[in-house]
Amino acid sequence: MHDLDDLADYEASARQHTPWRRVLALFRPHVRALLIVLGLIVIAGIAGATAPFMMRGIIDDALPARDATLLVWLCGGLVGVAVLSAIAGVLQAYVSTHIGQQLMHELRVTLYEHLQSLSLAFFATARTGEVQSRMSSDIAGLQSLFTNTATDVARNVSVALTTVVAMILLDWRLALASLAFMPILLWLNNRVAALRERITFQQQERIADMSATVTESLSAGGFILGRTMGRAHHLVRLFRQTSSDVARLELRSHTAGQWEIAIIMFALDILPALTFFIGGLMLAQGSGVSIGTLVALIALQEQLLWPMLELFEARVELRKARALLTRVFGTLDTKPTLVEPANPVEVDANGVRGEIVFEDVSFSYPASERQTLDHVALRIPAGTHTAIVGSTGSGKSTLGYLLARLYDPDSGRVTLDGIDLKDLSFETLSHILGVVTQDPFLLNASVDENLRFAKPDASSAEIEQALKIAQLWEKVAGLPKGIQTEVGERGYQFSGGERQRLSLARTILRNPRVLLLDEATSALDPQTENALSAALSARHNRTVVSIAHRLSTVRHADQIVVLEEGRVVEMGSHDQLIATNGRYRQLATIG
């Protein structure tokens, strides 16, 4: 039943996302090169269609008359046609392959750029392997369409049309007899194409599942989880089942419709015998068919055979490609939930004061049955340290997501120096706001490369200063390779606290006016954390917002905001909140 539901969704998606005019639009920037390809195809097709007429001349005229001169000219013509066809074929293959690779490149970049424009909500629900499957497996599956199939179809159509015209000019009666069963073959071919298209869609879905399994289970975190939970054998069984499904669908993809294909092949194979039979009867009755005409017609049928077979196969490949295009265009048609303003407000990042205001902000996640934030009103003065605390699920991290504009409020607004965050470009906001999370993401590269990801033109002195503020300089300087030390996959060569400090140093390197710390020091020991807090506090021009579970980390904050069930229930300094004997004191007692 699940497969049937998937196929129903696919059919609807295919109708919505993959009109072939969208594919043709991809070729539009390459019109000039396409015209060259089509010209070469037409030249090769016409050249090939003239050869049988020369053969008829040799059989009916030159040989019976023993005319050596005519024989030389006609044989030379056959050689010339062969040379012309070969040259046109080589040039056409080169130009069409160049076009195909350009299209592949443009489609990959377009898809990657679009994925970069999507919102956190998309990546929070999409599997990493699914996204990677779109970028690799689906795009790679279109390689044949853009580099071979499209031009092959044009070439084969040209050859087929010129050949059919030549057959009709030779003898229209034999031509019609030869082509009479083509509609039946086209119907059979369409059945095979539709069947393989559906199988290809299922196949790509399972390939995405397999990619997701590999990505999740063979990452450093996935390996640790599988090993420590004793689930390695389970993961192997899961992968074996998924791989088995892929192999089964691959087999079906190549073997489905074999009886229909066998019938098509049989019909095309007996075509010469049928032509000889009908032509022989006509020749015996004196119906105006010469032996040369009959031989030339058989040659044209042989010339028509391979283009027709390739067109039949291309029809199957085009339907299979539609399944891939449905997935790719489906992703391209995914609308970002966050968009940049058409005319963003121009702000000098160095002139930002850093006052943040949440004005009656409410927000809920799509899968949530309740509001995560409920009419939150909060002012964070510029140049101060504000701590957000509360029990698990109170909405602390969500408040940070809204400040970083990873989500937009359902109602209300968040302002920076009186400017709605929605009116700022993403680039401008990234220069003003720095974010460090509890589980920082580090590139599998050197310490230096990780830091320069934030500021490529940073000087050695700036990098050293950022590492000192993050209390990491002595550690890095003492490594054998110093800042050129590789951090490993997701930074697993370093401890949790070192990863957090390296991520913090990367953000500090940008010198943002507003710094958001979401449990960013949770893995630090008290001594390092105090030193880090002192270093951050020394920069009085920076607004710091820290989200914390450990209340010991926020005692010295200028303002502490207590959230419960998405509402601000208390606000004040540590001493003020302890004195009120409210929720903060309860949390402090528990802590």
Side-chain angles (χ1 to χ4, degrees):
M1 179 65 73
H2 179 68
D3 287 344
L4 292 177
D5 292 340
D6 285 346
L7 289 176
D9 292 342
Y10 162 68
E11 292 292 350
S13 184
R15 288 191 295 270
Q16 177 182 356
H17 296 296
T18 57
W20 286 106
R21 57 185 173 83
R22 294 186 65 173
V23 179
L24 294 176
L26 298 175
F27 288 88
R28 193 169 296 134
H30 308 279
V31 171
R32 183 176 299 178
L34 285 172
L35 290 176
I36 294 174
V37 171
L38 291 175
L40 292 169
I41 287 172
V42 170
I43 289 172
I46 294 175
T50 59
F53 289 92
M54 297 181 190
M55 292 174 59
R56 182 177 67 174
I58 292 172
I59 295 172
D60 287 348
D61 300 321
L63 293 179
R66 292 181 173 84
D67 188 336
T69 302
L70 180 59
L71 181 63
V72 169
W73 277 105
L74 291 174
C75 289
L78 288 174
V79 173
V81 165
V83 171
L84 182 61
S85 296
I87 294 174
V90 170
L91 293 176
Q92 177 260 315
Y94 175 81
V95 178
S96 61
T97 301
H98 176 74
I99 295 172
Q101 290 305 318
Q102 282 294 110
L103 287 172
M104 292 288 292
H105 163 70
E106 291 164 6
L107 189 58
R108 278 194 300 264
V109 172
T110 299
L111 182 58
Y112 184 82
E113 185 177 20
H114 180 73
L115 287 168
Q116 286 286 357
S117 75
L118 295 181
S119 314
L120 177 60
F122 173 82
F123 295 98
T125 55
R127 297 174 301 173
T128 303
E130 180 76 17
V131 175
Q132 290 179 343
S133 178
R134 293 287 194 276
M135 287 297 304
S136 56
S137 178
D138 292 350
I139 296 292
L142 296 172
Q143 176 89 24
S144 177
L145 172 66
F146 291 135
T147 57
N148 298 318
T149 304
T151 52
D152 285 349
V153 167
R155 184 181 66 250
N156 290 321
V157 167
S158 174
V159 172
L161 289 176
T162 54
T163 302
V164 168
V165 170
M167 290 171 65
I168 293 173
L169 291 176
L170 279 172
D171 192 287
W172 66 270
R173 297 164 298 180
L174 288 175
L176 290 179
S178 301
L179 302 173
F181 52 84
M182 282 300 172
I184 298 176
L185 301 187
L186 289 172
W187 176 76
L188 289 172
N189 180 247
N190 187 62
R191 281 174 52 89
V192 176
L195 177 60
R196 292 198 180 177
E197 179 185 2
R198 292 193 295 269
I199 294 172
T200 297
F201 173 76
Q202 292 178 293
Q203 182 181 4
Q204 292 302 117
E205 289 290 299
R206 295 306 283 159
I207 288 175
D209 292 339
M210 187 166 65
S211 177
T213 300
V214 170
T215 302
E216 293 169 1
S217 63
L218 295 185
S219 64
F223 176 81
I224 292 172
L225 178 66
R227 178 62 60 86
T228 56
M229 291 290 180
R231 298 289 282 170
H233 293 298
H234 165 74
L235 292 173
V236 171
R237 286 196 300 272
L238 179 64
F239 181 80
R240 179 181 290 114
Q241 178 60 51
T242 308
S243 179
S244 176
D245 291 343
V246 171
R248 174 178 54 82
L249 289 168
E250 183 73 21
L251 176 64
R252 288 186 61 198
S253 175
H254 288 285
T255 59
Q258 285 301 308
W259 279 109
E260 288 89 342
I261 294 174
I263 293 173
I264 293 172
M265 292 294 294
F266 173 75
L268 294 176
D269 285 341
I270 65 171
L271 185 58
L274 181 63
T275 303
F276 272 124
F277 178 72
I278 297 176
L281 293 177
M282 294 173 65
L283 187 63
Q285 296 173 359
S287 299
V289 177
S290 68
I291 295 177
T293 298
L294 195 56
V295 172
L297 195 66
I298 296 297
L300 284 171
Q301 288 179 351
E302 291 293 328
Q303 184 171 293
L304 180 65
L305 174 62
W306 288 111
M308 291 304 298
L309 287 175
E310 291 189 9
L311 284 173
F312 287 151
E313 182 61 30
R315 185 174 176 81
V316 174
E317 292 300 319
L318 287 172
R319 291 292 293 268
K320 289 169 65 176
R322 191 176 78 144
L324 302 177
L325 288 166
T326 297
R327 289 165 55 85
V328 172
F329 284 139
T331 301
L332 288 174
D333 288 341
T334 302
K335 302 297 183 185
T337 55
L338 301 181
V339 294
E340 294 197 84
N343 299 299
V345 175
E346 297 293 335
V347 175
D348 179 9
N350 294 321
V352 170
R353 294 184 298 110
E355 181 186 56
I356 302 163
V357 179
F358 289 81
E359 300 179 0
D360 196 29
V361 168
S362 295
F363 176 81
S364 61
Y365 293 100
S368 176
E369 297 180 354
R370 66 176 182 84
Q371 284 195 321
T372 307
L373 295 176
D374 188 8
H375 297 284
V376 171
L378 172 63
R379 177 178 174 271
I380 300 174
T384 64
H385 179 192
T386 295
I388 313 295
V389 301
S391 56
T392 301
S394 60
K396 303 186 300 298
S397 293
T398 302
L399 205 67
Y401 289 153
L402 296 181
L403 176 56
R405 213 195 160 204
L406 297 174
Y407 290 96
D408 278 339
D410 296 333
S411 62
R413 66 176 192 156
V414 184
T415 66
L416 176 65
D417 289 352
I419 302 172
D420 194 327
L421 294 185
K422 293 181 181 179
D423 294 330
L424 297 174
S425 69
F426 291 138
E427 183 177 0
T428 297
L429 185 59
S430 72
H431 286 296
I432 298 171
L433 175 70
V435 181
V436 186
T437 62
Q438 179 179 7
D439 184 23
F441 181 85
L442 298 178
L443 304 173
N444 189 0
S446 67
V447 172
D448 184 63
E449 288 175 289
N450 269 280
L451 294 176
R452 291 186 185 278
F453 186 81
K455 188 177 181 181
D457 59 348
S459 66
S460 299
E462 288 176 312
I463 289 177
E464 180 179 342
Q465 180 64 19
L467 288 170
K468 284 180 177 179
I469 294 174
Q471 307 299 303
L472 197 60
W473 172 248
E474 291 184 4
K475 165 70 178 180
V476 172
L479 295 172
K481 294 184 178 181
I483 62 172
Q484 298 305 323
T485 301
E486 296 288 325
V487 304
E489 177 69 21
R490 294 187 63 87
Y492 274 100
Q493 299 282 18
F494 288 74
S495 68
E498 290 165 349
R499 291 198 298 271
Q500 286 187 338
R501 281 181 281 165
L502 182 55
S503 177
L504 183 59
R506 181 172 59 190
T507 301
I508 290 173
L509 192 61
R510 293 174 69 90
N511 192 27
R513 291 293 190 182
V514 180
L515 183 60
L516 172 62
L517 307 176
D518 187 356
E519 292 290 338
T521 59
S522 60
L524 302 185
D525 59 81
Q527 181 180 356
T528 303
E529 185 176 40
N530 290 334
L532 178 59
S533 298
L536 290 174
S537 299
R539 304 181 71 84
H540 299 293
N541 62 340
R542 176 179 289 140
T543 303
V544 179
V545 180
S546 59
I547 298 169
H549 281 293
R550 286 181 5 201
L551 300 191
S552 60
T553 65
V554 300
R555 286 176 176 269
H556 303 293
D558 300 303
Q559 175 180 240
I560 299 174
V561 178
V562 183
L563 280 180
E564 285 300 328
E565 296 185 351
R567 292 176 177 270
V568 176
V569 295
E570 289 181 326
M571 189 184 309
S573 68
H574 172 76
D575 293 337
Q576 290 172 338
L577 293 176
I578 289 293
T580 59
N581 197 25
R583 179 58 179 160
Y584 179 80
R585 181 163 184 167
Q586 293 176 2
L587 293 171
T589 302
I590 295 172

